[in-house]
Amino acid sequence: MTHPVYHELAMHLDRLPGGFPATPNGVELRILKRLFSQSEAGLACHLTLIPEAAHVVAYRCGLDIDTATAMLEAMWRKGLILKTGSIGKPDRYMASQFVVGIWEFQVNRLDPELVADMEAYIPVLFNAEAWRRAPQMRTIPVNRSIDPQLPILPHEAAARLIEKKDHFTVAPCICRQERRLAGQGCDRPLETCISFGDAGSYFVQAGIGRPVDRQTVLDLLETADRAGLVLQPSNSRDPAWICCCCGCCCGVLRTVKSYPRPAELMAAAFSVQLDAAACIGCGVCVRRCQMDALCLVEDRVLLDAGRCIGCGLCVSTCPAGALKLVRKPREKQPPVPANMAVALLRTAWKRKTLTPFSFAALIGRSQRDRYIAGRKFKKESPANGE
């Protein structure tokens, strides 16, 4: 019988922006038991989307500061929660959603049992309607597919996104690692997850990613194009990461691919246009497409526009120039939030797990707990002679 704390944690995670839906067979609870101890699960239920210092969490959980700090640090090292910090200020801790979040931090920690449970859970975890309303990732074209005449915004071009960043981290792809462990992976490059700034600090400090320079990242984007990988940054104009994904391993792309019209689920500003008369029937684009949007019939390519997610992989290698990217009509271009904080809040609002009123109440409770915790632990501190 599963301990009640895991049910509580599952409901807590489901209230976060990314969601964590229940299943009839409880596979989501088995996943949590593999990742969290009972005490860690209990503590995680007290963390919110608002970063808070250890003494605040300690007060809320009824723990002493040393115990709470040790537990929070251990959970952060296991990739179960998030931590932020700045010079001269104490570290602060906050809840991490399961995807994108806890699961991606399990790189190099996978085992066959965890992989099997996750494979069973992915179809339930991906809620197509929720993703349609507020996707966590978006698709941008590979660099070589962008025609100089194509009107493109700065957040829609990978190279221009890289130019605006200062710190870079690359780490293994959790999806490709998972599929290889299940004996179903492809032979595409593994180290293809790019993070920026604070988003990459965990991977470096945990020893599962490495810092690199801007040119290395640009070279990696070229490698991704040659390998036929779709570029998927986080869904904001100032992304925290760019994933290089394949349709056979990526949890999102694999699931979206199973739907008849992936174009309606993925956030993308572009789609492909085919000049059938120019097609020479080489079939390169068919092999490159990760969504099966192209097929070869009687030595000519046919395009299913409802399956095209605008990644540009077919465009960058078409020797006849029969394929090109075009901008979608404005009403079919989903909004791109300004930053990750807005993106997460928007996802929560669209899933109806958070409203402006409930978020304001969450901030109010955090401020109250900070005040009470500050007074409580100041009074108990031996430094005050009490």
Side-chain angles (χ1 to χ4, degrees):
M1 183 176 179
T2 303
H3 193 282
V5 73
Y6 292 109
H7 291 272
E8 184 181 353
L9 177 57
M11 290 187 291
H12 178 68
L13 291 174
D14 197 38
R15 290 191 291 268
L16 297 179
F20 194 71
T23 64
N25 63 3
V27 65
E28 77 283 3
L29 301 177
R30 293 200 301 272
I31 291 173
L32 294 182
K33 287 177 66 177
R34 296 186 191 282
L35 298 177
F36 292 80
S37 68
Q38 290 183 16
S39 59
E40 289 171 340
L43 190 150
C45 292
H46 291 283
L47 297 178
T48 73
L49 293 174
I50 301 174
E52 296 170 315
H55 74 280
V56 180
V57 180
Y59 159 73
R60 192 177 296 144
C61 298
L63 299 172
D64 62 79
I65 295 179
D66 290 342
T67 300
T69 301
M71 288 184 64
L72 290 167
E73 279 296 304
M75 293 172 68
W76 173 77
R77 286 193 297 270
K78 292 170 64 176
L80 304 179
I81 61 174
L82 300 177
K83 180 175 76 170
T84 64
S86 56
I87 297 175
K89 295 184 178 180
D91 291 331
R92 296 182 296 166
Y93 304 87
M94 61 184 291
S96 176
Q97 59 183 12
F98 189 75
V99 171
V100 176
I102 293 172
W103 178 245
E104 285 70 23
F105 290 150
Q106 301 313 306
V107 169
N108 296 343
R109 299 191 182 102
L110 301 179
D111 59 52
E113 292 77 17
L114 179 58
V115 166
D117 282 343
M118 190 62 182
E119 282 292 297
Y121 189 47
I122 284 176
V124 179
L125 181 60
F126 184 90
N127 183 304
E129 188 55 37
W131 191 272
R132 189 200 313 269
R133 294 195 303 266
Q136 292 193 55
M137 304 169 78
R138 58 193 173 93
T139 304
I140 58 175
V142 295
N143 290 335
R144 287 191 297 162
S145 68
I146 301 175
D147 188 289
Q149 305 301 316
L150 183 68
I152 191 162
L153 300 175
H155 63 268
E156 297 169 343
R160 294 176 71 176
L161 288 175
I162 299 301
E163 289 175 1
K164 294 184 176 181
K165 301 294 183 178
D166 296 319
H167 299 92
F168 311 93
T169 300
V170 294
C173 169
I174 185 72
C175 298
R176 216 160 289 130
Q177 194 175 81
E178 173 201 348
R179 294 292 279 176
R180 288 183 184 182
L181 191 57
Q184 301 174 7
C186 64
D187 60 357
R188 291 180 172 91
L190 184 62
E191 194 182 52
T192 54
C193 287
I194 306 164
S195 300
F196 310 117
D198 291 341
S201 63
Y202 171 78
F203 289 108
V204 174
Q205 294 183 53
I208 54 180
R210 60 188 179 93
V212 296
D213 59 20
R214 179 178 285 104
Q215 187 57 51
T216 299
V217 174
L218 292 173
D219 293 343
L220 176 56
L221 294 178
E222 295 300 320
T223 298
D225 183 358
R226 291 192 297 271
L229 298 177
V230 177
L231 301 185
Q232 295 195 100
S234 53
N235 190 30
S236 70
R237 293 194 293 273
D238 183 22
W241 71 82
I242 298 178
C243 291
C244 304
C245 307
C246 56
C248 56
C249 294
C250 171
V252 172
L253 293 187
R254 277 195 295 141
T255 307
V256 168
K257 193 174 182 177
S258 68
Y259 287 81
R261 298 183 64 82
E264 297 177 357
L265 297 177
M266 299 297 287
F270 304 95
S271 59
V272 163
Q273 187 175 84
L274 169 67
D275 181 354
C279 176
I280 60 175
C282 67
V284 173
C285 60
V286 177
R287 295 190 292 273
R288 297 262 291 174
C289 181
Q290 301 299 303
M291 285 292 111
D292 296 335
L294 298 160
C295 64
L296 200 59
V297 178
E298 297 181 354
D299 296 328
R300 284 294 182 272
V301 165
L302 298 180
L303 169 66
D304 182 348
R307 300 197 63 84
C308 175
I309 60 173
C311 67
L313 287 174
C314 60
V315 176
S316 64
T317 51
C318 178
L323 296 158
K324 68 176 182 178
L325 286 174
V326 295
R327 183 172 284 279
K328 290 181 177 180
R330 183 179 296 275
E331 65 273 12
K332 293 187 177 181
Q333 296 179 42
V336 181
N339 53 52
M340 285 301 298
V342 174
L344 286 173
L345 291 176
R346 183 173 184 273
T347 299
W349 291 336
K350 291 294 183 178
R351 288 188 63 244
K352 299 181 180 179
T353 59
L354 192 67
T355 66
F357 177 80
S358 62
F359 187 60
L362 190 66
I363 294 174
R365 287 194 296 271
S366 177
Q367 293 291 343
R368 179 202 63 193
D369 289 351
R370 294 182 194 201
Y371 174 77
I372 296 174
R375 290 180 60 85
K376 171 182 171 62
F377 289 112
K378 181 179 180 181
K379 182 178 180 180
E380 294 178 356
S381 174
N384 291 323
E386 300 180 10

